[in-house]
Amino acid sequence: MGGRWVEARSGKRFSTRNPATGELLAEVAEGDAADIDLAVAAARRAFDGQWSNWKPADRQRLLLKLADLVEADIEQLAMLDTLDMGAPISRTRASKQRAVGMLRYYAGQAVSIHGETIENSLSGEIFSYTLKEPLGVVGAIIPWNSPLGATLWKIGPALATGCTVVLKPAEEAPLTPLRIAELCAAAGVPEGVVNVVPGYGETAGAALAAHNGVDKLAFTGSHLTGQKIVRASAGNLKRLSLELGGKSPDIVFADADLDAAVPGAAMAVFANSGQVCSAGTRLFVERRIYSEFTQRVAEFSRSLKLGNGLDPETQVGPLVSSEQLDRVTAYLRLGAQEGARVVSGGARATEGALANGYFVPPTVFVDVQDEMTIAREEIFGPVLSAIPFDDVDEVIARGNRTEFGLGSGVWTRDVTKAHRLARALRAGS
Ligand code: NAI
Ligand code: MG
């Protein structure tokens, strides 16, 4: 905070654990409302100070420098993500292109921002124009599922536009964001421009969302917390960006390339152990291939290597925490109670070394009905619900029957049908 490592005002710390083993990784300063106050004040001072004189080209150079440092440090950043939230190292290492590319993209944005001149019908020399200005202090709250990507996704645009940031990482995975704060300092980000305050959502997060000194809040996480953020932000009517969850339909037609669709549909759910906002968790399969297709998906799922993310062979790691394990296994029990049938996975994995971690094997439910809880709620675990359908209009209507609308997928070789569904499915992606 303010360019320095500091303890929490309260002196408190919290533990962060390796979800593959349950082992303690580190004790981290537990920020709360008092620390958020200090961080917002530091961000405000920085915004009003020298930083406001930085030219677009200066901010571009800074972002390019930060991109270089992230690139050089990627092995450590990937390791921190894997240790702190469990994702396979093959996945976190592969995030390099995206992470570094994102920062270089924002570096380009820093020099591309422009307003407009607008024709008007007033007399004389009066003309109208728009002038883009930085908003001020941005609060950022991120979830655990991709700490590196989520951190850069918040910090990058703020630096590009000349804002300052107070970022609250998820309590489950604070280590990578703290390392990024160090890299920001090394890149020459002025003190107070980027501040990272680890702590719990109900304390530090809530204080940031409600803070009158924060001009904008950028949140990624669950829709329930998103609703709390909207309410908390009302005090000063701060601007909001909300990136929330989903129960996305993934639709497979009988005419699809099934050799591609089987692993595609499976990994649309099992990548990152299902802890992905746009996971294709409602798998609609055309009835005449339903039985064959779901069998193949189940077979593929059983072939995936579940294990400690540090093993380069691991394809599916643990869930992030014991709370998440409880949440996901509760849905597994509920699915069975409501009459869905498990054809792969279905219960916590406890063999050998897995017993100490929070492991759930890739799980495929068949005979799922639209109204079952597992077909309606975001589970955020490796749980796929396979549902048969008969025709295009029917699957569009059922695909759209959800309170979410984040992602969607279509597997077909019929281009006309593909475009029709892309338009008809009410989803952002
Ligand atoms: P969450 O949405 O509560 O947590 C995300 C972030 O918000 C964390 O940094 C947390 O500390 C913060 N937060 C929590 N309560 C807050 C509050 N009152 N004010 C301000 N910030 C607050 O998600 P959580 O509890 O970690 O996971 C619960 C469920 O949410 C998951 O099972 C999953 O279904 C869903 N989720 C979805 C995500 C997505 O990207 N779609 C990401 C994370 C969770
Ligand atoms: Mg939480």
Side-chain angles (χ1 to χ4, degrees), residues 142 144 168 171 201 205-206 219 222 225 245 277 324 327 378 380:
I142 60 170
W144 76 73
K168 196 208 76 68
E171 49 270 47
F219 171 75
S222 67
T225 300
C277 53
Q324 197 61 14
R327 216 178 266 149
E378 182 177 48
F380 232 56

